[in-house]
Amino acid sequence: MIFDQPWLGALFADTEIAHLWSADAQLEHYRDFEVALANALESCGRVPLGQGRMAAEAIHSAEIDLISLTSATLHDGLPVPDFVRQLRAQAGGNEAAIHTGATSQDVLDTALSLTLRKVSGVLIDRLQKLDADLALLASDKGDAPLMGRTRMQAALPITVADRVQSWRQPLENHSAALKALGPRVGRLQLGGAVGTRNGFGDDGDRIATSMADALDLVSGTAWHTDRTGVAEYAGRLSLVTGSLGKFGQDVTLMAQQGIDEVSLKGGGGSSAMPHKSNPVMAELLVTLARFNASQIAGLHQALIHEQERSGAAWMLEWMSLPQMAVTTGRALKVSKQLISQIDRVGTL
């Protein structure tokens, strides 16, 4: 995968966001789900007093055989059955409190919710810092003149501050939208075999509420086949990178020889033309924006979950959404780097 490739990974990857999707991070979320369920089963009287607590301790300390998990995933199409088998084998007689009433999708979707909450925190922080950097750019260089261009033709004079404002304008809305999406994607998934919580008798809603409180997630009904929140989140990621791609496209055009409205420090070199200084970071923003835009169709295809659960549509999310999150995080870092490279801006 290009994000893991030694030199291209340095260009496209974002290690902080990628870590949130790593095997270690996801396993911890799987454990968090099972611990919350074990404790909820005990608090609701579904297992004897003390058994949930002892199961939770066993879950925390269990050693997971990743080779076994990998092999089983090739067979089962997902890691949870073997993960649960390994937990129960180390439960010391308390296995009745592990995963009882739940299904694999409950674990994986709850892990997704926990992951997206952390991703949003990183992205919102970066959006706010980027907005501050652009505000400083406008303050320092905003009075310089520029030629306003419509349809790539000279139109009327503007200032640097006018163009910077167009770059800043969507950022606050993106931050607000990611915060607003919190309850849409930060949801506990607990539906059991067919999404009805039938494995918990009359205690399903009580168990879900207990687990949601423990995990700081929103409770409610199961959303096994309602992937609209996931698609909305992916859409916002593409909107963020699209806005940053506009910034990159503008800088690329401004840096053209003959236009010379911006001078960048540390431009990229050419193997054939040593006189060139390429606006690599600006170009990268355009590429990242177009990559995320291309992934949206896949996430919308993943909305089509047949009956009570889909394997194929669900797997499509696993392939696309982490890459979109990494791409968005990278675009925000690249945008800050690009601002720092601006040496001069304005019409000569």
Side-chain angles (χ1 to χ4, degrees):
M1 190 170 71
I2 196 168
F3 295 104
D4 299 325
Q5 206 261 9
W7 49 89
L8 290 179
L11 186 64
F12 294 111
D14 183 296
T15 55
E16 183 177 6
I17 297 293
H19 175 72
L20 300 179
W21 299 93
S22 68
D24 288 343
Q26 295 306 303
L27 280 175
E28 283 307 303
H29 292 327
Y30 301 170
R31 291 182 197 265
D32 291 340
F33 174 92
E34 297 293 354
V35 166
L37 175 58
N39 287 327
L41 289 171
E42 179 179 321
S43 67
C44 292
R46 304 294 296 186
V47 298
L49 189 65
Q51 191 172 83
R53 175 183 56 79
M54 288 185 287
E57 291 173 357
I59 292 165
H60 274 305
S61 61
E63 294 185 5
I64 302 302
D65 182 345
L66 297 183
I67 295 176
S68 174
L69 205 65
T70 300
S71 176
T73 300
L74 285 172
H75 179 269
D76 300 325
L78 68 174
V80 177
D82 188 64
F83 176 71
V84 171
R85 181 193 62 77
Q86 292 191 45
L87 292 182
R88 286 175 171 167
Q90 300 176 63
N94 299 297
E95 55 270 18
I98 295 178
H99 200 70
T100 298
T103 192
S104 294
Q105 188 166 0
D106 294 333
V107 180
L108 293 181
D109 278 353
T110 299
L112 174 64
S113 295
L114 294 170
T115 300
L116 292 183
R117 182 173 64 193
K118 292 186 176 183
V119 169
S120 290
V122 174
L123 298 183
I124 290 168
D125 180 64
R126 291 186 188 179
L127 279 162
Q128 292 171 345
K129 289 178 178 176
L130 177 61
D131 186 54
D133 286 352
L134 286 170
L136 184 60
L137 177 64
S139 176
D140 289 347
K141 305 180 187 297
D143 292 337
L146 278 177
M147 176 53 68
R149 300 178 189 276
T150 59
R151 301 170 69 174
M152 297 182 68
Q153 304 297 310
L156 295 170
I158 62 172
T159 66
V160 168
D162 293 325
R163 187 160 292 165
V164 172
Q165 178 57 30
S166 75
W167 300 336
R168 290 185 65 194
Q169 186 170 337
L171 302 184
E172 184 177 355
N173 181 58
H174 291 321
S175 293
L178 284 170
K179 291 176 183 176
L181 277 169
R184 291 282 288 138
V185 295
R187 296 182 289 174
L188 174 77
Q189 177 73 283
L190 187 70
V194 291
T196 61
R197 297 177 180 166
N198 60 301
F200 302 113
D202 295 331
D203 294 319
D205 291 345
R206 288 176 59 207
I207 290 171
T209 298
S210 174
M211 292 180 66
D213 288 346
L215 296 170
D216 194 23
L217 295 173
V218 176
S219 186
T221 58
W223 46 281
H224 283 178
T225 58
D226 176 13
R227 315 309 291 183
T228 52
V230 177
E232 286 173 18
Y233 193 89
R236 180 54 56 178
L237 296 180
S238 183
L239 290 175
V240 171
T241 51
S243 296
L244 302 179
K246 185 269 192 291
F247 168 41
Q249 187 73 91
D250 280 354
V251 172
T252 301
L253 293 170
M254 292 165 69
Q256 287 185 104
Q257 292 173 347
I259 301 295
D260 298 314
E261 290 177 334
V262 66
S263 175
L264 301 173
K265 297 176 288 187
S270 165
S271 64
M273 294 169 284
H275 63 279
K276 292 187 70 180
S277 178
N278 296 317
V280 174
M281 294 298 104
E283 293 171 327
L284 180 56
L285 288 176
V286 178
T287 299
L288 296 171
R290 288 177 174 161
F291 175 82
N292 266 2
S294 73
Q295 299 303 303
I296 288 297
L299 267 296
H300 283 191
Q301 292 282 357
L303 289 168
I304 307 169
H305 272 240
E306 60 274 8
Q307 285 90 45
E308 279 61 59
R309 179 173 300 108
S310 173
W314 195 27
M315 289 182 186
L316 195 55
E317 289 180 6
W318 307 348
M319 296 177 72
S320 297
L321 191 58
Q323 294 185 87
M324 292 188 71
V326 170
T327 296
T328 306
R330 178 60 176 152
L332 285 162
K333 291 186 76 171
V334 169
S335 296
K336 281 182 64 68
Q337 183 177 348
L338 181 57
I339 294 170
S340 72
Q341 290 179 334
I342 295 176
D343 186 39
R344 176 196 56 78
V345 60
T347 306
L348 289 173

